[in-house]
Amino acid sequence: MAHVVVIGGGGGGLATALLAARHGHTAELFERDTRAPGDSLDRDFFGWQRPGVPQATQPHALLGAARTLLRRDLPDVHAEMLRLGARERHELDWFDARPPERPGDEDLVMLQARRIVLESALATALRGEPGAVMHHGEPVTELLTGAGEAAVRVTGVRTPAGAYPADLVVDAGGRRGGVERLLAGAGCRPARVERHRTGLAYFCRWYRLPEGMDEGPRRPWTVTGGAFAGCAVFPADNRVFAVTLFVHTTDTTRSALRDPAVFEAAARSFPPGAAWLDLGADPLSGVLATASLDNRWSAPVDEQGPVVTGLVPVGDAITHTNPTLGQGTSLALWAARRVAGTAHRDPGSLRFAAGYHAWAVRTLKPWFDFQVVADAAIGERFATRAGRTGTAREVAALFECALEDPEVMRARARVRHLAEPPERAYADPEVRVRVARWLAARPHYAPNAVGPDREEWEKLTAG
């Protein structure tokens, strides 16, 4: 068995350390923040300042892929999340009567919770895990290195408290964790980084449903949008939900959305925002803004192969994806499980590093590429403030047809929950026939028609 050192105490880092310990390894986690999530969800979520995790207070979606892994590999964490107030929603419950069940439908369930619920459940489990130690307020300042095969070999970490040897170091520090700088300081060759700008800015506000109202409307919950802006509602735990608006970063109305009154007026112009805000919910926050959430693939390799051995990245440290599809947590958990299940296979070797990279390209990269394509279409539409035709019309039709047709919804849900790649799910002949039939019945269908027109939007955001 191996000794695994994890840099970063967010969801990916906590899961990696916990899974490693449960696979028989010993694990040490180092987090620069001075504390771990506690028992007060609202205090930690709204009052804990986490400059290294700017997305911590933004909505998070735990897709079916994440829920399936938790139920199978960390059932106590899943149970703790439910105890803390997380709720589950089956994708096919969109319909008044759920269609007859098929194999795989059990994976199409969203786990609705704020990020802090997952982190709290993971931290609780890790505190009680033999062989696992958490070091808070102890940032990693240097990588210990030794001779390697055609690449620098990491053999541990150094913090202000001293040196800690490791068989494997896991970078779970996210896109702002600083490990790239530490690798450069250790003499590693620079890795290739693939970056795609999305040009999207997000504005969200958190609310709590009135006492006695445990659930909001069953419909509409989906993301809706026009040619220049979109809206989504994220139900979470303990009657809490977030309303999110997203626009292009060049949109001149963007700054006005920081005003709560303007934000609510704009949100009500979309069906999901109106449906939830009409319930009389109490606001729990101001308007929280975030931008520059570009898609970034940063595996530590170059043309010659791995630039480092003895260290592998998980979560945002390898694949940072824009939140429009909610993939981040699922991909981080997949990587954590891979590390935990293979850390005994000579983790300091070049073969291990190359094998992990090959797995990441095979397992994570296709979903990263899917995110890039989806965001490019949204960004282009918002930047030009115009709908698109051709293939975009067919894709939009598939999504809208799914709201009426259970078989198309099932295909869409299998992609949404990372159960099946889009090129396979959407190529199903039955799905294609149903979407074509839906379009034929609507010869004048135009996508992106939901929400206000530009003139109305300008008035709304002018206050």
Side-chain angles (χ1 to χ4, degrees), residues 229-289:
C231 177
V233 174
F234 294 86
D237 54 280
N238 298 292
R239 310 193 331 271
V240 172
F241 67 93
V243 177
T244 296
L245 294 173
F246 45 101
V247 297
H248 199 268
T249 52
T250 60
D251 197 306
T252 56
T253 66
R254 185 179 70 160
S255 61
L257 296 174
R258 292 178 179 270
D259 182 295
V262 173
F263 174 88
E264 289 207 4
R268 288 179 183 276
S269 67
F270 294 94
W276 284 78
L277 291 176
D278 284 346
L279 298 174
D282 295 323
L284 300 176
S285 73
V287 179
L288 309 176

Side-chain angles (χ1 to χ4, degrees), residues 5 49 67 70 99 195 256 298 358 371 382 388 452:
V5 161
Q49 299 302 311
R67 173 182 175 270
L70 291 174
R195 182 181 286 106
S298 47
Q371 178 85 57
F382 282 11
R388 301 178 64 197

Side-chain angles (χ1 to χ4, degrees), residues 191-237:
R192 292 178 301 189
V193 176
E194 182 181 339
R195 182 181 286 106
H196 302 268
R197 302 194 67 82
T198 64
L200 297 177
Y202 295 84
F203 301 83
C204 88
R205 194 179 193 197
W206 290 92
Y207 301 82
R208 177 169 275 121
L209 291 169
E211 192 74 36
M213 185 182 293
D214 292 333
E215 294 185 1
R218 186 162 55 87
R219 304 182 207 168
W221 52 262
T222 188
V223 176
T224 60
F228 52 84
C231 177
V233 174
F234 294 86
D237 54 280

